Amino acid sequence: MKYLQLTLLSAAIGFCSAVSSVPASRNSIFGVSHKKDISLSSLFGVNRGGALFGGTKNVENETAAERPKYPAMSSEEIEDWLAHIPVFAVTDKEGQGVVLKSNATSVFYFFMNVEMANATMNGLKQENPEMDLQISAFSLGKIWFRIRESAKPNDATLEKLDEGSAPSQSDIDYRLVPSNRDILGARMLLTMDEKDSEELKAGGTPTYEMTKKIIEKAYNESTKFKDPYNEIPVFLIQQMRMQKKPEENEVEPVTILPMYFNLQDMVGIWQKFTAQSPDTANMEPAIQLMDLFEILDKAQEETEVDWRNVLLVPSAANQISQGTPGAESIAQSPVDDSPGGPGPGAQTLGDL
């Protein structure tokens, strides 16, 4: 569990935005392993909040026998849970995926960030100008189990398109590539400490040298999220809650815990809410960093965490227009995020 001052978290966001001005290799930005266990305390240790989804009962004081057990989510539930999250890939105009070669392995990359997908496509076009390529969107729910089944820990580098015969689908290694910026933010959250915070406060606006120092520390000292693919950081603030509109057969709104793929989105919502609420203006957020693969593995087991009342929030930067190839496969968000609604746009935080 990682508790950070909001000033430190805001500084990390600023550094992520400034990273383009700091020379860094591809491997220095892609990086982190993750926590091996998702414990009850890591999700239920909510400051001033008590239970995970509302109420004031302190579940940390419950015995194992008293804690409710939630059944494992089925494959169909997992697909629905991820259906609104877009991922991106390089395809031809017919929507056929571009398979790359990595150390004699046929690889197909899905990207969490559309900008990274575009950068990959532009590089391939330079090497293969005769190919008519595009970026297509896919629902993470529809392709998740294909990625999960082929997940491997080997290092990878993108290479030229294979000019040989096309591999069968079963021979393809599907990989999910995280956002550079969020990986860097995750590594910073794991390595920044109170000393860094004090230096930042004393120095005012971060300088190039300060930024470079923090980034190098994140690269050299972080022990997590080190693979260039299949390690996807997910961020949450333990005091943060959202309200989901009740269904027709429900009387009360459902309180849910949002988990964000984009660190900046999460911090922005927290800051807006606390700025509007005098009671929470001085509250320090309890930051938690998790890994998507671990979350989904745990969700498919009987657990004391009610994953069905967790919302995975995609990056606001990955807006999908109706003209985007594959846009029709992306489901609508299960929470209304329009202004004034109960979702991200409304900054509705309950159970504080």
Side-chain angles (χ1 to χ4, degrees), residues 9-252:
L9 183 60
S10 299
I13 291 292
F15 287 138
C16 289
S17 299
V19 68
S20 59
S21 65
V22 181
S25 69
R26 176 174 175 270
N27 287 336
S28 70
I29 295 178
F30 272 5
V32 195
S33 162
H34 43 269
K35 181 190 283 192
K36 293 302 180 186
D37 294 304
I38 300 174
S39 66
L40 185 68
S41 60
S42 71
L43 283 179
F44 286 84
V46 182
N47 290 350
R48 297 179 57 191
L52 181 57
F53 299 119
T56 59
K57 189 175 182 180
N58 186 351
V59 298
E60 286 299 306
N61 295 328
E62 291 181 348
T63 65
E66 292 174 328
R67 294 169 185 160
K69 292 283 189 179
Y70 298 94
M73 296 179 72
S74 66
S75 297
E76 291 75 16
E77 286 180 302
I78 294 293
E79 290 179 12
D80 290 343
W81 198 31
L82 302 176
H84 65 288
I85 299 169
V87 293
F88 307 90
V90 182
T91 70
D92 63 16
K93 294 300 181 180
E94 303 300 320
Q96 298 297 312
V98 177
V99 178
L100 309 179
K101 294 295 291 185
S102 173
N103 300 326
T105 301
S106 298
V107 180
F108 187 71
Y109 287 92
F110 292 100
F111 295 87
M112 295 296 298
N113 179 274
V114 67
E115 293 180 356
M116 292 179 64
N118 272 312
T120 300
M121 179 184 68
N122 292 335
L124 292 172
K125 282 183 174 180
Q126 290 180 358
E127 296 180 1
N128 304 269
E130 74 284 358
M131 297 198 69
D132 193 8
L133 303 176
Q134 67 181 16
I135 298 300
S136 296
F138 297 82
S139 165
L140 182 58
K142 293 184 181 299
I143 52 90
W144 170 253
F145 288 103
R146 188 175 297 175
I147 294 173
R148 190 68 190 92
E149 290 170 5
S150 65
K152 298 176 181 178
N154 300 327
D155 292 334
T157 56
L158 296 182
E159 299 178 2
K160 292 183 179 180
L161 292 173
D162 182 20
E163 298 178 354
S165 58
S168 67
Q169 192 174 90
S170 60
D171 295 331
I172 299 175
D173 189 2
Y174 296 93
R175 298 175 181 176
L176 186 60
V177 180
S179 162
N180 279 354
R181 183 170 295 180
D182 291 319
I183 279 289
L184 182 57
R187 298 181 75 168
M188 286 178 177
L189 291 179
L190 292 170
T191 56
M192 292 176 74
D193 54 27
E194 292 303 318
K195 181 180 178 181
D196 296 319
S197 178
E198 294 302 321
E199 290 180 357
L200 292 173
K201 290 178 183 178
T205 303
T207 64
Y208 173 86
E209 289 303 321
M210 292 171 64
T211 303
K212 182 178 179 181
K213 177 183 176 182
I214 293 293
I215 291 175
E216 289 179 347
K217 182 178 180 180
Y219 171 53
N220 294 324
E221 298 184 15
S222 177
T223 59
K224 301 183 178 182
F225 293 101
K226 284 189 170 292
D227 289 334
Y229 58 87
N230 290 356
E231 287 189 319
I232 311 299
V234 179
F235 308 92
L236 67 130
I237 293 176
Q238 293 178 344
Q239 300 101 319
M240 186 178 286
R241 298 293 184 276
M242 291 180 177
Q243 297 293 327
K244 181 180 179 181
K245 288 182 178 179
E247 304 292 341
E248 292 183 0
N249 59 341
E250 296 175 336
V251 177
E252 298 292 334

